[in-house]
Each structure stands twice: as structure tokens, then as C-alpha cells.
């Protein structure tokens, strides 16, 4: 009897453990302070409960029961699953892994945007002065913020913080500003019809963080494309250069006879008349001193730059590039080749299999020249889809093996050439200073130092290498207003200028992302046929199959 009473006493004593645990949790949660008293209750209760479980299992051989082992296994498996789920949630909150399955990557930043944000030299903050937080805009800003801890954003109610709104000069709801240090810049004004644009945000971010500007000159005087808005103008292309922090100015070499020293790039866009010999020499001298030139030459024109192109191994083909497979796609006929194949080059590295098209284009012939590295940029489809047509007067396009050239055709090429720039120190004493070679002689001879004439103190000189860049495109229509914003046309132009400016650390152009229209448009007959097949024909087929199966099993 004493043993039984003792066992009952220990049994009731062990129930004190859960009671003390409950008291400790209650004290801690109510007081919101986990000091000595609640911890003492918790530890004591846990110890008593543990001793009770051990004693009970010893008395009843609880651990040796099959049910106990099965329950223990189930408990361990449950705890393991909970631990794995907890670890997955912890990693999910700590590390972000997103997958954009849309074909055009609508919810993913362009590589240019990611590259720019990851190398931000100083913190940047986006201020959105609006009371409504659009989910699409927030998602875009979150994508930027994931790239760098230096990028922050905040929504502000202008009425709640009038001082901050006055500081930025806010005039209306929806204005978005960028701030970096003491610099502030308006990005755009968002509303119901216009959401926050990645193109504008990245362009403004680049302008805000980049203090250097590059000067681009556009040659005029030979019927080149008009710079202001008008028919066949390239005003949108010029505006795109301004958005990328370039400053543009017209250039008339007939008046200046020399390319300005501050020219980062010179653009010759679709000249209809030939350049004077002196103008061509000015461009050659500009290239020889490390300049960068973009030539966009249309068919049926002779700008008389053959002597310049010959030095680089490029020849303008007088035939017309045609693509009979692109007429129905582009809607401009076979004389507007559709290009989906691009060279491995910084200008086209992110194009993939995107589309660009070139109405009325001429092919280019590339030959190897020592010291010049050439990379074809734009290539048409292979024959029989494309070829170079020699008979420009014929209304019917047919390949003539004697006169025409089979595709694929090269419509654009990027070239680089190393130049040797000399710098010499002035001699301290020289009774008869040696004459330096003329610029013309320097450009035609190899870059070797002239032999010094006798002097008490010899002239010391050093030699550093610079690089000239040239991009030749057999078309200028692709960059005109209206076509500039189509597909990758604008990217080809802006990326070419950016690469020519030798500011390769800057991100290149960003093409807009648009969801593809995949709706099926049915005629009335097709719609009625679909309804008839889904409501009558398919059910009858299923019923017939069921009857046949029943008849065979009967």
C-alpha cells in the first residue's frame, strides 16, 4: 500500500511541471519582460516535466512499446518537416530568388539597368510624391532596390510633408524625383494612364551619377537627315542622345575645315550629295588622331568617302538588299530586310534574336586590313530569303546568278584601329631644332619616331596608343522619326554612338518591353464552328465511344 501511495504521490507531483511552465509563460507574456522570475518558473517546470516523463517510462516500459516507437517516429518526422519548412522560410526571407517566365521578361530589369545600379558610386533615392502606391510601380522600384543597397525609394504625401515637397519643387501629384547627394532631377509624372518607366528611370539615373558629357557632331551640308522634327528627320534619335547625356551640335566642314577637338563622335546620317575632298580628309585626320565616326549611307547615293573606307577595308555595294521573307512581317515590302542575326559585339550583345529592319539598305563588303579589327553587326537571312539585287528598275524581284549576290548580307560593321600618339618634350638647348614631320606625312607613314638632329640635349619622346572606332551602316532610314522607336532600331543607333564615344562603362540603350498580343481573332463562321464542335460534335463522339465499349462488354 505504501508503494502504491508513493507512486500516486510522484504522479501528482509531476503534474506540477506543466503548471510551472504555464505560470512562467503567463508572467513573461503579460509583463513583456523575460527576467529572472519567469525564467525560473520555466526552467523548473521543464526539469520536473522531464523527470516525470523519464520516471513514467521506466515504470511502464513505455519506450519499449511498439506504439511508443511508432509515435516517436511520427513525432520526429513531423519535427523534421517543420524544421525544413522553417529553414525554407528563413532562406526565402533572407535571399530573393525570382523567375520571370514571361516571353519578353516584362517583370525583369534590363541588363543595362542592373549593371548601372550595381556599380552606383553613391547612395541614390527615388521620391514618389503620390498618395496612391501603384503595385506595378512598386514592383519596378523593388527590382531596382534588389540590385544594390545604395538604391532606396519612398512614397510621400505632399500634403502631409509640405516642406519636403517645397524642397523638390513639387507642383502636382505623381511627380517622381531622383536624389543623389545635393543633386535632384525630375524623372517623370505618373498617373492612371502613364506608369513609371524603366527607360526613363535608368536614363535619369545615369545622368545623375555621371558627371561627364560627350559631344556628338552631326555632319550637315550634303542633304543629310534633318535634325529637327520633319519628314525623314532624325529628331527622335537626337532626343535619345540627349537622354543619354550626350550633347549634340551640327557640323559643317565646309566652314570649319577641321573636326573640333571636343568631338567624341561624328555622325554622317544619310548624305545625298558627295563630300568635298577637303571634308573627307578632315574626317580622315580626325580618325587618325583617335576619333570616332558613324557612317549611315543609303543606296543610290555616292558620298565620295571611298578613300576613307578603303583604309578600313570597307566597300559600299551599289546593289539593293532584299528580303522576300520579311515583307508580310514588317509590312514595308521585301526592300526592308528584317534582321534577327547580330554579331558578337558590345553594340549588339543583348539583342538575342530580336528584330530590327532597314528600309532601302545597301550591303557592305568587308576585307581584311592589317591593324583593323572588323566585326559584322547586322546580317540578313541566307539565300533564298535574301540577296543583293542589281536590277533596281525591275518591278519583279528575281535572283540573277550573274549579277546578284546571295545572302546572308552584311548591313552593318564595327571597326577598331590602334593609333600611335606621340608626345615629345621640348629640348633645353638646340641650335638647329629638327623639323617635325607634317600631319599628312604622319598619317601615311608608320608610327616611328623621327631621327633627332644633332643637339647638346637630345629630345626625349614617348609613345602611347589610342584607338579609333568606325561604324558603317548601309541604311539611315531605320533611325528616322517613326521607325526609330520600332523594335531594336533605336537600340542599334544609340548603342553604336555609345560604343563609338568610348564610354564603354556606360550602360547601353534599353529597349521597351511590351507584352505580345496572343489573342485569337475568330470570324463568325469560325466561332460558330467552335461552338458546334464543343457542344455537339465532341459530346456525340464521347457518347458513341461509350456505347461501343458497352456493346463489346455486354
Amino acid at each position: 500500500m505504501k508503494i502504491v501511495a508513493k507512486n500516486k504521490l510522484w504522479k501528482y507531483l509531476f503534474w506540477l511541471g506543466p503548471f510551472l511552465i504555464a505560470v512562467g509563460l503567463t508572467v513573461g507574456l503579460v509583463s513583456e519582460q523575460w527576467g529572472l522570475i519567469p525564467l525560473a518558473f520555466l526552467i523548473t517546470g521543464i526539469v520536473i516535466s522531464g523527470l516525470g516523463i523519464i520516471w513514467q517510462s521506466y515504470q511502464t516500459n513505455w519506450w519499449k512499446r511498439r506504439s511508443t516507437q511508432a509515435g516517436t517516429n511520427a513525432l520526429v518526422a513531423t519535427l523534421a518537416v517543420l524544421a525544413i519548412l522553417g529553414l525554407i522560410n528563413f532562406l526565402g526571407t533572407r535571399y530573393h530568388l525570382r523567375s520571370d517566365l514571361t516571353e519578353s521578361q516584362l517583370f525583369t530589369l534590363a541588363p543595362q539597368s542592373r549593371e548601372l545600379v550595381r556599380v552606383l558610386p553613391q547612395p541614390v533615392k527615388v521620391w514618389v510624391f503620390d498618395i496612391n502606391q501603384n503595385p506595378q510601380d512598386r514592383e519596378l522600384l523593388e527590382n531596382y532596390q534588389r540590385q544594390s543597397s545604395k538604391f532606396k525609394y519612398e512614397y510621400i504625401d505632399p500634403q502631409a510633408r509640405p516642406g519636403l515637397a517645397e524642397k523638390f519643387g513639387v507642383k502636382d501629384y505623381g511627380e517622381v524625383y531622383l536624389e543623389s547627394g545635393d543633386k535632384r532631377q525630375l524623372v517623370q509624372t505618373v498617373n492612371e494612364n502613364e506608369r513609371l518607366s524603366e527607360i526613363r528611370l535608368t536614363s535619369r539615373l545615369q545622368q545623375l551619377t555621371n558627371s561627364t558629357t560627350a559631344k556628338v557632331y552631326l555632319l550637315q551640308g550634303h542633304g543629310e537627315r534633318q535634325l529637327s522634327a520633319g519628314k525623314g528627320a532624325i529628331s527622335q534619335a537626337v532626343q535619345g542622345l540627349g537622354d543619354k547625356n550626350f550633347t549634340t551640335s551640327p557640323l559643317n566642314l565646309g566652314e570649319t575645315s577641321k573636326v573640333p577637338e571636343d568631338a567624341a563622335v561624328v555622325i554622317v546620317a544619310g548624305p545625298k550629295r558627295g563630300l568635298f575632298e577637303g571634308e573627307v580628309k578632315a574626317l580622315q585626320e580626325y580618325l587618325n588622331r583617335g576619333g570616332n565616326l558613324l557612317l549611315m549611307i543609303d543606296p543610290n547615293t555616292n558620298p565620295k568617302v571611298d578613300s576613307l573606307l578603303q583604309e578600313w577595308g570597307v566597300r559600299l555595294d551599289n546593289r539593293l538588299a532584299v528580303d522576300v521573307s520579311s515583307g508580310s512581317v514588317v509590312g514595308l515590302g521585301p526592300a526592308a530586310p528584317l534582321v534577327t542575326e547580330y554579331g558578337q559585339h558590345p553594340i549588339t550583345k543583348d539583342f538575342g534574336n530580336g528584330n530590327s529592319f532597314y528600309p532601302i539598305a545597301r550591303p557592305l563588303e568587308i576585307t581584311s586590313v592589317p591593324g583593323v579589327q572588323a566585326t559584322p553587326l547586322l546580317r540578313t537571312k541566307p539565300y533564298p530569303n535574301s540577296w543583293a539585287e542589281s536590277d533596281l528598275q525591275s518591278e519583279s524581284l528575281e535572283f540573277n546568278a550573274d549579277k546578284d549576290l546571295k545572302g546572308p548580307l552584311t548591313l552593318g560593321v564595327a571597326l577598331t584601329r590602334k593609333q600611335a600618339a606621340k608626345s615629345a618634350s621640348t629640348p633645353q638647348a638646340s641650335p638647329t631644332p629638327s623639323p617635325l614631320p607634317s600631319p599628312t606625312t604622319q598619317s601615311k607613314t608608320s608610327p616611328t619616331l623621327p631621327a633627332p638632329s644633332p643637339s647638346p640635349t637630345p629630345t626625349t619622346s614617348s609613345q602611347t596608343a589610342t584607338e579609333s572606332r568606325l561604324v558603317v551602316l548601309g541604311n539611315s532610314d531605320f533611325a528616322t522619326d517613326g521607325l526609330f522607336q520600332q523594335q531594336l532600331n533605336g537600340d542599334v543607333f544609340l548603342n553604336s554612338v555609345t560604343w563609338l564615344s568610348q564610354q564603354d562603362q556606360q550602360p547601353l540603350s534599353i529597349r521597351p518591353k511590351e507584352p505580345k498580343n496572343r489573342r485569337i481573332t475568330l470570324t463568325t463562321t469560325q466561332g460558330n464552328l467552335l461552338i458546334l464542335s464543343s457542344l455537339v460534335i465532341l459530346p456525340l463522339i464521347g457518347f458513341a465511344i461509350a456505347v461501343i465499349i458497352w456493346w463489346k462488354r455486354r
Side-chain angles (χ1 to χ4, degrees):
M1 292 294 294
K2 291 183 179 180
I3 296 176
V4 174
K6 186 177 181 180
N7 289 338
K8 288 184 178 180
L9 178 63
W10 278 106
K11 183 177 180 181
Y12 291 127
L13 181 63
F14 287 135
W15 278 106
L16 185 62
F19 172 76
L20 294 177
I21 293 175
V23 171
L25 291 174
T26 303
V27 173
L29 293 174
V30 172
S31 64
E32 296 183 353
Q33 294 181 357
W34 298 91
L36 180 61
I37 295 177
L39 288 178
F41 278 112
L42 286 173
I43 294 173
T44 304
I46 291 172
V47 170
I48 293 176
S49 297
L51 292 175
I53 293 173
I54 295 174
W55 180 81
Q56 185 69 21
S57 63
Y58 176 76
Q59 292 291 327
T60 61
N61 292 325
W62 182 69
W63 286 106
K64 297 182 180 180
R65 297 178 183 177
R66 180 176 298 179
S67 60
T68 302
Q69 294 176 354
T72 304
N73 291 336
L75 178 62
V76 171
T78 302
L79 293 176
V81 170
L82 293 176
I84 293 173
L85 291 176
L87 180 61
I88 292 174
N89 280 275
F90 170 76
L91 295 176
T93 57
R94 192 73 176 269
Y95 305 99
H96 297 282
L97 179 61
R98 303 170 71 251
S99 180
D100 188 353
L101 301 180
T102 58
E103 181 179 358
S104 55
Q105 299 293 291
L106 291 173
F107 307 103
T108 303
L109 291 181
Q112 300 91 330
S113 299
R114 297 198 299 267
E115 179 184 354
L116 177 62
V117 178
R118 287 171 182 170
V119 296
L120 283 175
Q122 57 186 352
V124 173
K125 188 168 185 179
V126 176
W127 299 88
V128 184
F129 291 91
D130 202 350
I131 56 176
N132 299 317
Q133 300 186 19
N134 182 272
Q136 180 180 337
D137 295 347
R138 283 186 61 90
E139 176 68 18
L140 178 62
L141 293 171
E142 287 286 347
N143 285 342
Y144 276 92
Q145 189 169 264
R146 292 188 186 100
Q147 309 304 319
S148 173
S149 59
K150 294 182 179 180
F151 186 96
K152 303 293 183 183
Y153 74 93
E154 185 176 351
Y155 276 84
I156 299 296
D157 182 358
Q159 298 293 337
R161 300 181 64 179
L164 186 62
E166 183 179 359
K167 173 184 175 182
F168 281 85
V170 177
K171 299 178 181 179
D172 197 4
Y173 283 100
E175 292 187 2
V176 181
Y177 284 86
L178 264 175
E179 183 181 33
S180 178
D182 57 350
K183 298 179 180 179
R184 302 182 190 90
Q185 190 173 38
L186 175 66
V187 177
Q188 70 178 102
T189 301
V190 296
N191 51 51
E192 294 181 356
N193 300 321
E194 184 177 1
R195 303 295 357 137
L196 187 59
S197 167
E198 178 189 352
I199 298 176
R200 293 187 181 181
L201 184 54
T202 297
S203 297
R204 298 296 182 268
L205 186 61
Q206 180 182 356
Q207 293 177 18
L208 195 68
T209 56
N210 183 21
S211 58
T212 61
T213 59
K215 191 67 174 289
V216 176
Y217 286 92
L218 295 103
L219 191 66
Q220 298 288 283
H222 316 89
E224 288 88 356
R225 297 289 179 178
Q226 182 178 323
L227 305 185
S228 57
K231 184 178 180 180
I234 57 171
S235 62
Q236 292 179 343
V238 173
Q239 178 61 42
L241 292 175
D243 292 339
K244 291 182 66 61
N245 214 29
F246 290 102
T247 57
T248 57
S249 296
L251 172 65
N252 192 327
L253 287 176
E255 298 176 352
T256 61
S257 72
K258 183 181 180 182
V259 177
E261 295 292 337
D262 62 346
V265 182
V266 174
I267 300 176
V268 182
K272 294 181 175 60
R273 297 182 295 274
L275 279 65
F276 292 116
E277 184 179 353
E279 294 176 311
V280 177
K281 287 184 178 180
L283 293 176
Q284 289 175 316
E285 292 175 358
Y286 170 65
L287 288 172
N288 289 339
R289 68 173 189 256
N292 310 284
L293 180 62
L294 171 60
L295 293 176
M296 300 188 295
I297 311 299
D298 296 312
N300 297 323
T301 61
N302 183 15
K304 298 182 179 180
V305 292
D306 295 339
S307 59
L308 184 151
L309 294 176
Q310 187 177 2
E311 296 179 359
W312 293 75
V314 179
R315 189 183 72 86
L316 300 173
D317 197 311
N318 292 323
R319 289 170 286 198
L320 179 67
V322 297
D323 184 353
V324 294
S325 66
S326 66
S328 59
V329 178
V330 179
L332 298 177
L338 181 70
V339 173
T340 59
E341 181 181 346
Y342 305 93
Q344 297 296 322
H345 193 271
I347 295 176
T348 55
K349 66 176 182 179
D350 296 319
F351 284 6
N353 294 323
N355 298 323
S356 60
F357 56 96
Y358 307 86
I360 316 298
R362 70 194 308 167
L364 306 175
E365 181 182 325
I366 314 300
T367 56
S368 178
V369 172
V372 175
Q373 181 180 358
T375 304
L377 297 177
L378 314 170
R379 294 183 69 84
T380 65
K381 299 179 180 67
Y383 178 81
N385 289 325
S386 73
W387 68 84
E389 177 65 43
S390 58
D391 188 359
L392 306 183
Q393 305 300 326
S394 176
E395 295 182 0
S396 60
L397 295 175
E398 295 181 357
F399 178 75
N400 188 327
D402 297 332
K403 300 179 181 180
D404 300 338
L405 177 65
K406 292 183 178 181
L409 308 173
T410 299
L411 302 184
V413 62
L415 308 104
T416 59
R417 184 175 67 184
K418 296 292 183 181
Q419 305 288 343
K422 303 175 185 178
S423 60
S425 61
T426 305
Q428 296 179 355
S430 178
T432 56
S434 59
L436 294 176
S438 63
T440 304
T441 305
Q442 284 182 340
S443 62
K444 294 182 179 179
T445 58
S446 58
T448 56
L449 294 176
S453 59
S455 59
T457 304
T459 302
T460 60
S461 25
S462 61
Q463 205 172 41
T464 58
T466 61
E467 184 178 81
S468 297
R469 296 183 176 183
L470 173 66
V471 172
V472 185
L473 305 175
N475 177 259
S476 67
D477 284 286
F478 79 97
T480 56
D481 295 352
L483 299 181
F484 177 80
Q485 296 178 335
Q486 299 295 322
Q487 302 296 325
L488 297 176
N489 286 14
D491 299 74
V492 173
F493 177 83
L494 295 177
N495 286 5
S496 296
V497 176
T498 302
W499 178 75
L500 285 169
S501 68
Q502 305 198 28
Q503 301 182 52
D504 295 349
Q505 71 278 7
Q506 293 188 8
L508 301 178
S509 174
I510 303 173
R511 52 188 178 273
K513 301 173 183 176
E514 298 178 356
K516 291 191 175 181
N517 183 7
R518 301 196 178 279
R519 292 176 293 182
I520 300 177
T521 303
L522 300 178
T523 62
T524 303
T525 304
Q526 291 172 333
N528 293 333
L529 180 61
L530 181 62
I531 294 174
L532 180 65
S533 62
S534 58
L535 297 181
V536 179
I537 298 177
L538 291 179
L540 286 177
I541 293 175
F543 180 74
I545 294 174
V547 170
I548 293 172
I549 294 175
W550 172 80
W551 181 263
K552 287 186 175 182
R553 292 183 177 181
R554 176 173 168 269

